[in-house]
Structures are given as C-alpha cells and as structure tokens.
Amino acid sequence: MNELLKTVDLSIGYEEKAVAGPFDFPIYQGEVLTLIGPNGAGKTTLLKTLAKQLAPVAGTVLLEEEDLNVTRPQELAKRMAVVFSDALRPEQMTCREAVAVGRYPYTGRFGRLSADDERIVDEAMEQVHVTELQDRPFTAVSDGQRQRVVLARALCQQPEIILLDEPTTFLDIRWKAEFLESLKKLSEEQGKTVLMTLHEPELARLVSDRVACIREGRLDRLGTPDEVFEGRYIAQLFGLDETLYDKWFT
C-alpha cells in the first residue's frame, strides 16, 4: 500500500512542550484509520498536528515524503480536508453556501465560483444526501444533517485525505451509522484516506481498516480491528474493570 502520510519521531504538544510521542507510523492511501484511547491521551493533539494546525515539538510529518511544514497552505487545502467541531461557524450561511466554502482553495482571491465549481458543490451534496437542505440556514438543521453538510464541504476540496475529530459526537444511532457508512464508501469507492478520532471503540471496530490506540501519550497498539480488539485489551486501554468489560462489551 502507498504511504500517504507518515510520522517520523514525532512529538506533539503546545508551546514547545511535548505532551505525547514520539510517534512513528504510516497512514496508507485509501484506508480508514481511527485513533482511540482515554480522554487526554493526545488523540486530538495528534490529529491537529497532522492537519498542520499545531507545529510539531520534535520530529516530522511527511506527506508523500515531503515535510508537511514546507507544504504551502493552499496546496495542503487541495490535498487534505479537516473536519473539526470548531472549524466552521457559518452563522449567516445557507447549507449550500457552507458546502461551497470547500471550493475556496481553487477559486482565487475573489472567491467566485465557476460553473465547474458549482457542479462540484452539487456532486458533493448529492454524495452525502444533503441536496434537499441546500436553501436552509446551516444553523437551522439537525446535528446529524450539519455533520453531513460539513462532510460535503470537505469533499468539495477534492482532497486525498479527510481528518475528522469525534465526528459522531451528539449524533443519535441512525446518524452515526449513516455518517460512518458515508466515510467507509468514500474510502472504498473513491480511495479517500480517512483519519479520525472516535470515543466509541465499538464503532471504530466496525468502520476501520486499522485502529491506533493512544495511551498515556504514546502509541500503545496499532493494527487491524481483530488485532487490536483481541482478548481484553480494550479494558486495559481504558482502565476498565474486566468484569464490567465482560458484562457490557462481550
């Protein structure tokens, strides 16, 4: 498999103070890789570093062998889309306008959408089934619908990589299933690389090609769902009493 992203001796943190790492692992083209682990383990910090929102404390992130630090922001926006809960606050936008934000890396300084841009917006909305929401205010739709609109915005960037931080938070079971199914199809049918954090290990087990377990600031285990969920490892990862684990998760 082609290595699309790679961490090399990567330590992460804030204001040059490391809170986790070093990390050394590849992220392959077309896979769904999910980060799981206890709160505070460093999952979101790692994701933000991979998205170039935080500078590495030490080490390097490579994007196809090129140091991410030297990749120009506009070029990175064409290759990587970031879906964080605080990344988009379109208070006065319709859903279609919110989706169209994803075309800005391509539209030049004036941000005018061409006919081709408009077509890409249409296709992105159709892919995640939000076309019927296009004229509604972004702030007036449900949490599940809003997540799909933001995913459509990411697709408008036509990226190779999509990064998502806890995308199923606040979604009910239906919207979780539909949203994760959309991500899985993007990976399988379009070769998109999906890297995300999830609170729910059981969802990570179902949707992921590989699972990375972050514990106490280090990569504790990385492998297929079958490899990661072997035995009672998840109980150990989350510090869960094994009796409770057996009762609720087996």
Side-chain angles (χ1 to χ4, degrees):
M1 298 177 69
N2 181 42
E3 291 184 1
L4 194 54
L5 273 176
K6 186 176 183 180
T7 65
V8 181
D9 199 27
L10 178 69
S11 293
I12 60 175
Y14 300 86
E15 298 179 352
E16 300 184 354
K17 182 179 180 180
V19 300
F23 297 102
D24 288 275
F25 64 93
I27 301 163
Y28 297 114
Q29 184 173 3
E31 76 168 338
V32 177
L33 175 61
T34 304
L35 308 177
I36 65 172
N39 289 338
K43 303 184 300 297
T44 296
T45 305
L46 176 56
L47 202 67
K48 287 186 175 181
T49 305
L50 295 174
K52 205 179 175 182
Q53 293 188 359
L54 291 173
V57 174
T60 309
V61 179
L62 298 178
L63 177 57
E64 286 193 325
E65 303 303 322
E66 179 179 83
D67 189 335
L68 198 66
N69 281 333
V70 303
T71 305
R72 292 183 303 168
Q74 186 172 11
E75 181 62 28
L76 185 62
K78 294 178 180 179
R79 303 192 66 183
M80 178 186 293
V82 179
V83 181
F84 287 170
S85 58
D86 58 353
L88 181 65
R89 299 183 182 277
E91 302 295 341
Q92 305 298 325
M93 290 185 179
T94 65
C95 288
R96 183 181 180 83
E97 290 168 339
V99 172
V101 169
R103 292 307 299 162
Y104 288 170
Y106 301 89
T107 56
R109 62 186 298 182
F110 298 110
R112 294 173 181 168
L113 298 183
S114 67
D116 192 50
D117 292 320
E118 295 285 4
R119 176 186 58 77
I120 292 169
V121 172
D122 289 336
E123 291 175 354
M125 298 189 79
E126 289 170 8
Q127 277 185 267
V128 293
H129 310 296
V130 291
T131 302
E132 70 278 8
L133 303 176
Q134 62 180 341
D135 296 323
R136 293 181 61 182
F138 180 81
T139 54
V141 299
S142 72
D143 288 334
Q145 292 168 329
R146 189 174 298 123
Q147 286 289 68
R148 287 188 291 151
V149 169
V150 174
L151 180 58
R153 172 189 62 97
L155 293 178
C156 270
Q157 291 177 228
Q158 297 181 307
E160 299 165 72
I161 311 164
I162 303 174
L163 276 60
L164 308 100
D165 188 33
E166 302 293 354
T168 61
T169 300
F170 307 122
L171 302 187
D172 64 28
I173 189 67
R174 174 193 170 185
W175 293 120
K176 285 180 181 182
E178 291 195 1
F179 188 83
L180 293 176
E181 181 68 14
S182 295
L183 293 179
K184 192 66 175 174
K185 285 184 177 180
L186 289 172
S187 169
E188 293 176 345
E189 297 175 6
Q190 297 185 28
K192 304 292 186 185
T193 298
V194 177
L195 176 62
M196 63 181 161
T197 64
L198 283 179
H199 274 309
E200 305 98 325
E202 64 277 12
L203 294 182
R205 184 174 193 170
L206 292 171
V207 75
S208 307
D209 296 301
R210 290 192 302 155
V211 178
C213 304
I214 312 298
R215 182 183 187 187
E216 296 178 352
R218 60 186 175 85
L219 181 62
D220 197 57
R221 184 174 288 194
L222 173 64
T224 66
D226 286 344
E227 291 168 341
V228 165
F229 286 80
E230 183 180 11
R232 292 184 173 88
Y233 170 73
I234 295 300
Q236 299 170 19
L237 176 66
F238 287 93
L240 179 64
D241 180 270
E242 291 189 2
T243 301
L244 286 176
Y245 178 80
D246 290 340
K247 179 178 180 179
W248 291 101
F249 299 103
T250 60

